[in-house]
Amino acid sequence: VPSFCLLIDTPATISESFYKGQVMLTLKDAAFQPSSALRHSAELAATLKRCGVNSIVKPILALYTDGGPDHNVSHASVQLALIALFKKLNLDYLVAVHTCPYQSYKNPVERIMSLINLALQCVGL
């Protein structure tokens, strides 16, 4: 099961694009690595550490996710996982929002996934 993370290069001006950055892909075995909010938080912390984000002082993290059960901020399990991520990364501010139902095309990662789906055609994972 693929999981994508887009580390957005924040633009200097509003006229620049938010759809630039580094795409990280994590592959999981659906049978032995079930999806959960805590697993997503742990993967995100590992991804940020691997990219060297912790070495740069960035005390604010903004998460923009789809409204799936592992990302829905109204669920208690997701809230607890986000609190753990907040403490692990020693953040000053954490913003977690999700797109409206059937509006995933507005999510930057969903746009990246369409390109990756084209690249992975006829490839067995």
Side-chain angles (χ1 to χ4, degrees):
V1 176
S3 180
F4 296 95
C5 177
L6 174 62
L7 301 174
I8 295 176
D9 294 331
T10 307
T13 65
I14 193 70
S15 62
E16 295 180 38
S17 176
F18 276 91
Y19 298 102
K20 315 188 288 191
Q22 185 176 5
V23 178
M24 302 297 292
L25 168 66
T26 305
L27 292 175
K28 298 181 292 281
D29 185 358
F32 298 109
Q33 297 174 323
S35 181
S36 70
L38 194 56
R39 177 174 293 281
H40 289 297
S41 292
E43 288 174 356
L44 180 59
T47 299
L48 293 174
K49 183 178 179 184
R50 189 173 39 236
C51 293
V53 173
N54 282 350
S55 62
I56 303 169
V57 178
K58 291 191 178 181
I60 298 173
L61 178 63
L63 298 175
Y64 192 68
T65 65
D66 62 2
D70 297 337
H71 301 286
N72 193 334
V73 294
S74 63
H75 294 156
S77 62
V78 176
Q79 293 171 1
L80 290 172
L82 291 175
I83 290 170
L85 181 66
F86 179 83
K87 298 293 283 179
K88 170 77 175 161
L89 297 177
N90 194 23
L91 299 172
D92 289 341
Y93 195 70
L94 173 66
V95 178
V97 297
H98 63 83
T99 56
C100 296
Y102 310 108
Q103 301 292 317
S104 63
Y105 65 90
K106 294 182 179 180
N107 190 339
V109 176
E110 296 288 339
R111 291 184 179 194
I112 299 298
M113 285 178 60
S114 64
L115 295 173
I116 292 173
N117 285 338
L118 289 174
L120 292 178
Q121 284 182 347
C122 300
V123 175
L125 297 176

